[in-house]
Amino acid sequence: MTVTKTLRQHTSMRFSEPPPLESGDRLTRREFERRYHAMPEVKKAELIEGVVYVASPVRFQSHGKPHSQIIGWLAVYAAATRGVELADNATVRLDPDNEPQPDALLLLPESSGGRAAISADDYIEGPPDLVFEIAASSAAYDLHDKRDVYRRNGVREYAVWQVYDERIDWWALEDEVYAIIEPDEAGMIRSRAFPGLWLDRKALLEGDMAKVLAALQQGIATDEHAAFAKQLAESDQPSS
């Protein structure tokens, strides 16, 4: 075998695999998925407005810990609200240029107005009803391009915890525009899409998860949540 032939074979083998995903690449959603599938070592990558974002290694205080706190809080709510689905870092196919991987999300069943579905290959397709992201600061793309993508695709509620800024913003979709949900007189942010999902913002920022979960239990104990849970249960019954 000649040197030229050997080199040609090695070159052919090298380029038969998809190129690696790199932040800043501009790709179609199909090509993004092809490259992502070929890189199982990459745990989080997103396509936002046709641009690839590959996550850096996750730090403890600025992401890992707050992420776990949000998941724990939402898991308690989902456990108390049959029919509501919780996902952690699940890929979401929104449109041809956008495939985010939210830190946390909640889904309503289609029978209760949910617009997302699970595809045959086990991905979420369509807008979740609530997306919660953990961002380092207000400079992160979660507060800019990604928020516009979620709004345009009809994500009902969107919340971002800006860790370094010690700030949590929560928006609800009203007439195709995100309107901020202000805390009530008790300091609670109350979800509009998920009755009983209450967040004590001050307690969360202070790291007092016992108080955060106590506030959530207050929300779950309301008549509003009971009516919502009943409606979900009834909509889940097969029609006669």
Side-chain angles (χ1 to χ4, degrees):
M1 182 180 295
T2 66
V3 173
T4 301
K5 186 175 181 180
T6 301
L7 180 62
R8 186 180 300 116
Q9 288 181 342
H10 282 306
T11 301
S12 175
M13 290 173 61
R14 188 170 74 242
F15 288 106
S16 64
E17 296 295 324
L21 279 178
E22 294 186 2
S23 290
D25 285 350
R26 292 185 174 273
L27 302 175
T28 64
R29 197 179 76 186
R30 178 173 295 184
E31 179 61 14
F32 168 76
E33 287 192 9
R34 186 175 81 97
R35 297 189 189 190
Y36 200 174
H37 290 159
M39 299 176 67
E41 72 280 6
V42 175
K43 302 306 179 185
K44 182 163 185 174
E46 300 183 295
L47 186 70
I48 305 297
E49 301 292 48
V51 178
V52 174
Y53 294 84
V54 180
S56 302
V58 175
R59 299 181 186 274
F60 176 70
Q61 292 286 358
S62 63
H63 198 98
K65 183 178 179 179
H67 185 149
S68 69
Q69 292 170 324
I70 292 301
I71 291 296
W73 167 68
L74 290 174
V76 171
Y77 181 80
T81 318
R82 183 179 176 182
V84 170
E85 297 280 2
L86 165 65
D88 174 357
N89 266 311
T91 293
V92 179
R93 293 168 173 160
L94 285 177
D95 62 43
D97 294 315
N98 291 284
E99 190 165 311
Q101 192 173 329
D103 289 315
L105 61 84
L106 290 180
L107 301 174
L108 283 169
E110 184 178 357
S111 57
S112 294
R115 294 174 54 202
I118 307 303
S119 67
D121 55 349
D122 201 29
Y123 288 100
I124 297 171
E125 294 187 340
D129 298 283
L130 169 67
V131 167
F132 209 117
E133 298 277 19
I134 311 299
S137 73
S138 60
Y141 70 117
D142 303 83
L143 275 296
H144 302 281
D145 291 347
K146 193 186 287 188
R147 186 177 67 175
D148 289 342
V149 167
Y150 288 146
R151 175 194 56 76
R152 194 172 65 241
N153 280 276
V155 173
R156 293 183 182 183
E157 294 187 358
Y158 180 44
V160 182
W161 183 352
Q162 300 144 64
V163 179
Y164 290 128
D165 296 338
E166 297 185 349
R167 179 184 178 95
I168 298 169
D169 289 321
W170 193 321
W171 297 271
L173 195 61
E174 297 180 359
D175 297 325
E176 302 183 353
V177 175
Y178 272 147
I180 197 77
I181 302 178
E182 298 287 355
D184 64 17
E185 62 280 358
M188 302 287 184
I189 300 178
R190 304 187 187 199
S191 171
R192 298 174 186 173
F194 293 90
L197 182 60
W198 291 9
L199 177 63
D200 186 328
R201 183 170 63 176
K202 184 173 182 289
L204 184 60
L205 292 174
E206 292 175 348
D208 190 344
M209 285 305 295
K211 192 172 181 181
V212 169
L213 295 179
L216 176 59
Q217 290 295 349
Q218 290 179 27
I220 290 172
T222 60
D223 292 341
E224 183 183 27
H225 178 265
F228 179 57
K230 181 180 179 182
Q231 179 258 316
L232 288 174
E234 291 174 349
S235 66
D236 192 45
Q237 297 298 318
S239 58
S240 56

